[in-house]
Amino acid sequence: MILFRGLIAYFLSFSLASAAQAQSDYLVKLQEGFDQQQSFISLLHGQSGQVEVLARGWIRVQNFSQTTLHRMSENPSVEYIQPNYPLGLLKNYQIQDPLRRAAFQRSMSRHSWAEVSAMPADNPTFPRAPSQKNGNDPLLATQWSMANIEASEGWKKTQGSSEMIVAILDTGVDYTHEDLLPNMWRNPGEEGTDAAGRDKSTNGIDDDGNGYVDDLMGWDFAAKDNKPFDLAVDPKQLLISGGNPGHGTHCSGNVAARGFNSLGIAGVAPNVKVMALRFISEKGQGTTADAVMAIRYAVDNGAKVLSNSWGGEGSRSDGSEENLALKEAIQYAEAKGTLFIAAAGNGRAGTGYDMDKDPTPVYPASYDFENIISVAAIDVKNELGAFSNWGATSVDIGAPGVAVLSTTVGGKYSDKVLDFAGFDITWDGTSMATPHVAGAAALYWSLHPNKTWREVKDAILKSAAPTPALRGKTTTEGILNIKSLMNM
Ligand SMILES: [Ca+2]
Ligand SMILES: [Ca+2]
Ligand SMILES: [Ca+2]
């Protein structure tokens, strides 16, 4: 518990910095058990600004004056106020390298926009192998990531339980994808018909009383609707303006693309469920408010594993950017017995190897909560990805994260984000590594449903295969290994 006086100082220290911001966006946490949420809100009436009650004592306030915010912080019902820190994906596929960016713009400038628009720009599709009658996944043989972690050895024990749910907190999921649809979690409380014979998923009623109306397929916290659908990549827009659509769909495939269905690929846990929670826009941006709500949704609606390929870059030296709200949400997830798998992050251009010395570590991966597993990325040769953050004491394990094949939006499969106008970008990142570990946790937990999150985490870390590239770089000095894990 934090002292109130300290909080005011903390709040004021930020307010100076934020005064320059055109728009103020804050999260208000009410005191535990305080039931005067409405009277608190009525305090704000007559002031200009927007109030959004997020549920369970959380309120988002935007565009209030500093004076009003200060008065709010002194209200006895308020535990603390913090900025609604931006969070996002850890890699943006906008061309970062200025030389390549200039080259791309030069090459584009030789064409009219009409010509550029007419250039074929579909998401790259992996060549389809003929479907196999024996049930095998035709692209499994090309999934180096599954081979390196010996996933198929683990599937001899189990392919996962359909009761086991992994939440993907990301840009959404193409839940119509042939290899994901059979493994999509559906909210049982919004399925079927209500007393009046109407479809519960479209009756406009929160049938299960979980605070979300018609949330059959999960929830879109960014757009505030019940369709957490991922968007397809437009390579031209991506290269010019950045963003990262399709990211959540790619992550989902490596957790739980359906296995042994004669189609496409297989995820690490080929028979578990994926819960689609969209809180990051196709531009790769989200906020703490939406992350907190997505984490709580996952935990409250039955997910045992949360796959988190996103983050923010951390604290200032004075600690004023400590994201208390996000920390509380992860503590809540721990208290509810869930594992929180987090991407270790990708170093910024030209730096970024040794996050141990970095004063602004990527969070939430660097948070010191026991239920977090922080994941670095390795390539086909089991070398550390050139971009991958690492930390001898802060990063736990390596998993495949360079040129990874998975499901992509529009019912496709690819190991490339785009292949356009001479720019060939593969799906790389600790973002891609993280879902492999999330899938592993779900697979092991399926076999041992009575084990605790701590036992599952210990098994994953103890069974890591030692590898020279991770010596001194992660706590386990090893790579995820499903064969060994399933023998634990
Ligand atoms: Ca509901
Ligand atoms: Ca409903
Ligand atoms: Ca498949």
Side-chain angles (χ1 to χ4, degrees):
M1 192 58 67
I2 290 149
L3 295 173
F4 189 56
R5 188 165 297 280
L7 281 165
I8 292 175
Y10 153 83
F11 168 68
L12 289 178
S13 72
F14 188 84
S15 66
L16 291 171
S18 66
Q21 293 173 354
Q23 188 179 6
S24 81
D25 187 353
Y26 286 85
L27 278 176
V28 179
K29 173 75 191 305
L30 298 177
Q31 295 282 1
E32 196 74 35
F34 210 94
D35 59 1
Q36 293 190 36
Q37 194 157 293
Q38 282 310 318
S39 67
F40 170 77
I41 291 170
S42 66
L43 255 184
L44 303 173
H45 280 335
Q47 309 290 330
S48 65
Q50 293 86 50
V51 178
E52 182 188 349
V53 177
L54 298 171
R56 298 182 187 88
W58 287 102
I59 298 171
R60 181 181 181 182
V61 294
Q62 292 179 83
N63 298 320
F64 283 97
S65 70
Q66 291 297 319
T67 313
T68 307
L69 287 165
H70 191 196
R71 202 172 62 242
M72 254 185 247
S73 74
E74 292 180 320
N75 186 305
S77 65
V78 171
E79 187 180 333
Y80 60 81
I81 298 182
Q82 70 160 60
N84 185 19
Y85 293 117
L87 295 167
L89 297 179
L90 297 163
K91 182 160 185 157
N92 185 328
Y93 287 98
Q94 184 179 22
I95 308 169
Q96 302 293 331
D97 176 0
L99 290 176
R100 292 187 76 206
R101 198 173 163 79
F104 177 70
Q105 276 162 345
R106 265 200 312 280
S107 93
M108 289 294 104
S109 69
R110 288 189 218 108
H111 306 279
S112 69
W113 182 247
E115 284 173 320
V116 172
S117 299
M119 289 177 182
D122 274 349
N123 300 346
T125 304
F126 208 82
R128 268 174 194 260
S131 74
Q132 300 195 6
K133 291 213 168 60
N134 58 6
N136 289 346
D137 302 285
L139 293 176
L140 178 60
T142 53
Q143 285 181 273
W144 72 264
S145 75
M146 296 300 146
N148 280 34
I149 62 173
E150 298 191 276
S152 57
E153 290 295 319
W155 299 334
K156 292 172 183 168
K157 292 266 172 77
T158 180
Q159 293 161 28
S161 160
S162 58
E163 305 290 305
M164 180 58 57
I165 303 165
V166 180
I168 312 287
L169 291 80
D170 211 286
T171 58
V173 180
D174 174 1
Y175 46 74
T176 66
H177 195 293
E178 62 181 7
D179 230 3
L180 294 173
L181 180 63
N183 282 348
M184 292 309 301
W185 172 79
R186 285 162 172 264
N187 180 0
E190 295 279 0
E191 207 167 19
T193 51
D194 64 15
R198 296 170 300 179
D199 183 341
K200 281 188 189 175
S201 70
T202 57
N203 62 0
I205 295 168
D206 179 12
D207 291 278
D208 58 348
N210 66 352
Y212 299 89
V213 173
D214 296 348
D215 54 321
L216 178 67
M217 299 303 293
W219 195 254
D220 183 342
F221 294 87
K224 303 187 196 308
D225 67 31
N226 65 346
K227 295 173 191 66
F229 199 76
D230 204 359
L231 295 177
V233 172
D234 177 339
K236 284 164 282 193
Q237 284 303 323
L238 203 59
L239 286 168
I240 294 165
S241 353
N244 212 332
H247 189 270
T249 301
H250 193 278
C251 288
S252 298
N254 281 314
V255 173
R258 180 70 159 213
F260 306 93
N261 63 348
S262 305
L263 294 169
I265 62 167
V268 175
N271 197 39
V272 305
K273 291 285 186 274
V274 164
M275 179 189 281
L277 300 178
R278 182 176 186 265
F279 87 96
I280 297 173
S281 74
E282 67 279 8
K283 299 295 284 179
Q285 295 153 351
T287 74
T288 296
D290 292 336
V292 164
M293 297 307 287
I295 291 167
R296 295 193 73 114
Y297 184 102
V299 172
D300 290 344
N301 290 280
K304 293 293 282 180
V305 183
L306 279 59
S307 189
N308 301 282
S309 294
W310 51 271
E313 276 194 359
S315 303
R316 296 180 188 165
S317 53
D318 67 356
S320 61
E321 287 188 33
E322 189 177 37
N323 197 332
L324 292 172
L326 184 60
K327 284 187 165 181
E328 272 190 40
I330 298 170
Q331 275 177 314
Y332 180 76
E334 180 178 312
K336 295 282 183 169
T338 63
L339 271 176
F340 193 96
I341 319 297
N346 310 314
R348 281 152 292 167
T351 62
Y353 277 85
D354 186 357
M355 298 307 285
D356 283 338
K357 297 186 182 72
D358 197 315
T360 59
V362 167
Y363 69 89
S366 63
Y367 285 161
D368 195 18
F369 293 120
E370 288 289 310
N371 67 326
I372 294 178
I373 300 179
S374 169
V375 188
I378 54 108
D379 66 14
V380 64
K381 294 176 177 165
N382 288 344
E383 296 291 341
L384 187 66
F387 53 80
S388 178
N389 291 342
W390 55 271
T393 60
S394 55
V395 177
D396 291 309
I397 193 168
V402 182
V404 176
L405 174 63
S406 190
T407 44
T408 54
V409 175
K412 297 174 184 177
Y413 306 88
S414 190
D415 56 359
K416 287 180 182 177
V417 179
L418 57 86
D419 183 358
F420 175 67
F423 287 85
D424 178 347
I425 299 178
T426 51
W427 282 106
D428 298 347
T430 53
S431 280
M432 280 63 248
T434 298
H436 289 84
V437 177
L443 194 69
Y444 184 73
W445 227 331
S446 295
L447 193 62
H448 303 286
N450 295 323
K451 292 207 171 183
T452 64
W453 61 260
R454 196 181 289 276
E455 290 169 317
V456 175
K457 176 180 176 176
D458 284 350
I460 291 170
L461 299 189
K462 280 189 185 134
S463 60
T467 191
L470 294 178
R471 201 167 292 149
K473 300 255 168 103
T474 64
T475 62
T476 60
E477 306 192 319
I479 293 172
L480 179 68
N481 188 279
I482 302 298
K483 179 184 177 183
S484 303
L485 171 63
M486 297 309 281
N487 286 324
M488 294 290 284

